[in-house]
Amino acid sequence: MFPVHRPRRLRSHPQLRRMVREHVVTTGDLIYPLFAVPGSGVAQEVKSMPGVFQLSVDKLVEEAKEVYELGIPAIILFGIPDTKDEEATGAWHDCGIVQKATTAVKAAVPDLIVAVDTCLCEYTSHGHCGYLEVGDLAGRVLNDPTLELLKKTAVSQAKAGADIIAPSGMMDGFVQAIRSGLDDAGFKQLPILSYAAKYASAYYGPFRDAAESAPQFGDRRTYQMDPANGTEALKEIELDIAEGADMLMVKPALAYMDIIWRVKEATNLPVAAYNVSGEYSMIKAAALNGWVDEQKVVMETMHGFKRAGADLILTYHAKDIARWSEAD
């Protein structure tokens, strides 16, 4: 007997396919990463990330205006200071590059949400995310003293006008420390987007070119998660929720869709997926060589993140996605 059910009936027309589509990616889902550097008139393309630039504050403000006009609701700021030291001074100083960029963007585009990466690796002379054991060449970070640095950094960023604090250092107790610091400084309303499940990934290579944050020795496996682990991610998010996180992030995204799914199933908090630099650069390189259709591959990837459970997507493709959406 011929099948009664014919799934192809609902695929027969483009409009019908749109009507029954289960997941939709909109510009409202997107957060666009930007890299701030000292100087004026600087727009230096990152060689390993075509279309992504290190921007001085004046150029970054221009970019922020364009982002807002495209309907993208938020950016996340990373900073490259002119000098680095063991105290990560550029991360928490009131005149730090992220603080300057945040204040300038909020003055120029007040309705654009500015999230700030709250980490130390871009600002330390050794490239690790906190204080190191004296003479330790393995990259083992002193956890509790580093929490005080992160707390100072978050408060300084809040004073500069940040709308979201996004700590990414994977220190034990970092959400609680930052929440306490923000509350004590009068920023009880400021939300925390925690990099709750951040893996020690090879996909970060191009980002380290952009942020000039590669460790000078060792690696970050003593604090970022082992890519082989899944259940550990649930433990990390449980701790961050208990410490006061308002939103949770999984980073990277493409090879960790199972983690996005498990995190979303385990919590009712908003979940963000970070479509990281290596994921971006692979698609860009293939597209520039004519090997793939960039728009189709990017959108298929974005739908994969949404299908896995992501509510928000941090992606370097954000402006392209917004333009493609306008053209539809």
Side-chain angles (χ1 to χ4, degrees), residues 4-316:
V4 173
H5 298 287
R6 292 176 179 259
R8 289 184 60 189
R9 290 172 182 148
L10 298 183
R11 305 173 195 153
S12 61
H13 191 281
Q15 294 290 62
L16 187 55
R17 291 195 295 273
R18 290 178 66 182
M19 289 169 62
V20 299
R21 186 164 291 156
E22 296 175 31
H23 300 280
V24 178
V25 177
T26 72
T27 54
D29 302 323
L30 307 177
I31 300 174
Y32 187 51
L34 289 172
F35 298 92
V37 296
S40 176
V42 178
Q44 178 67 42
E45 188 171 26
V46 180
K47 187 176 181 180
S48 57
M49 298 179 71
V52 174
F53 295 80
Q54 295 177 330
L55 300 168
S56 54
V57 172
D58 56 326
K59 290 292 186 179
L60 194 143
V61 168
E62 293 176 10
E63 187 82 346
K65 290 178 180 177
E66 181 183 1
V67 167
Y68 183 71
E69 288 168 1
L70 285 168
I72 299 165
I75 60 173
I76 182 167
L77 291 178
F78 299 88
I80 300 96
D82 50 6
T83 60
K84 303 186 180 192
D85 56 44
E86 292 187 3
E87 296 289 325
T89 304
W92 49 264
H93 197 282
D94 288 344
C95 293
I97 186 63
V98 162
Q99 286 78 356
K100 289 180 178 178
T102 300
T103 300
V105 169
K106 291 304 295 183
V109 199
D111 288 335
L112 181 68
I113 295 295
V114 176
V116 288
D117 180 72
T118 306
C119 196
L120 307 173
C121 59
E122 298 105 307
Y123 308 94
T124 56
S125 52
H126 45 69
H128 283 284
C129 298
Y131 287 120
L132 295 182
E133 291 271 10
V134 176
D136 188 352
L137 299 182
R140 285 188 288 265
V141 175
L142 292 169
N143 194 92
D144 294 5
T146 296
L147 297 182
E148 293 304 311
L149 281 182
L150 291 171
K151 187 188 299 186
K152 282 203 302 183
T153 300
V155 171
S156 176
Q157 293 169 335
K159 289 178 179 177
D163 298 297
I164 297 172
I165 300 297
S168 61
M170 290 299 286
M171 295 295 109
D172 294 339
F174 71 156
V175 173
Q176 181 173 320
I178 288 170
R179 182 74 273 160
S180 173
L182 292 172
D183 290 355
D184 290 345
F187 296 101
K188 293 183 179 180
Q189 82 288 353
L190 206 61
I192 294 175
L193 167 57
S194 173
Y195 288 63
K198 181 180 179 181
Y199 286 84
S201 173
Y203 283 96
Y204 300 151
F207 173 89
R208 290 175 182 171
D209 294 338
E212 300 178 12
S213 62
Q216 299 301 302
F217 49 82
D219 55 41
R220 296 185 178 135
R221 294 180 182 275
T222 65
Y223 43 104
Q224 294 177 359
M225 290 173 54
D226 187 336
N229 292 354
T231 302
E232 183 183 9
L234 301 184
K235 179 179 180 180
E236 289 282 2
I237 69 157
E238 288 172 2
L239 291 170
D240 285 6
I241 292 169
E243 292 174 17
D246 301 285
M247 297 176 280
L248 306 167
M249 190 190 299
V250 176
K251 181 182 181 182
L254 191 59
Y256 298 86
M257 289 200 199
D258 61 318
I259 305 302
I260 297 170
W261 176 264
R262 292 177 71 176
V263 169
K264 188 61 180 177
E265 289 288 290
T267 177
N268 57 8
L269 294 183
V271 175
Y274 200 139
N275 178 213
V276 298
S277 60
E279 299 165 11
Y280 170 87
S281 294
M282 288 191 300
I283 292 176
K284 275 291 182 182
L288 288 170
N289 279 283
W291 297 336
V292 299
D293 183 312
E294 182 176 1
Q295 180 175 345
K296 289 180 179 178
V297 171
V298 169
M299 294 312 299
E300 185 174 340
T301 303
M302 297 302 127
H303 281 112
F305 299 150
K306 292 289 286 187
R307 196 175 63 250
D311 301 293
L312 303 170
I313 303 170
L314 292 82
T315 180
Y316 304 95

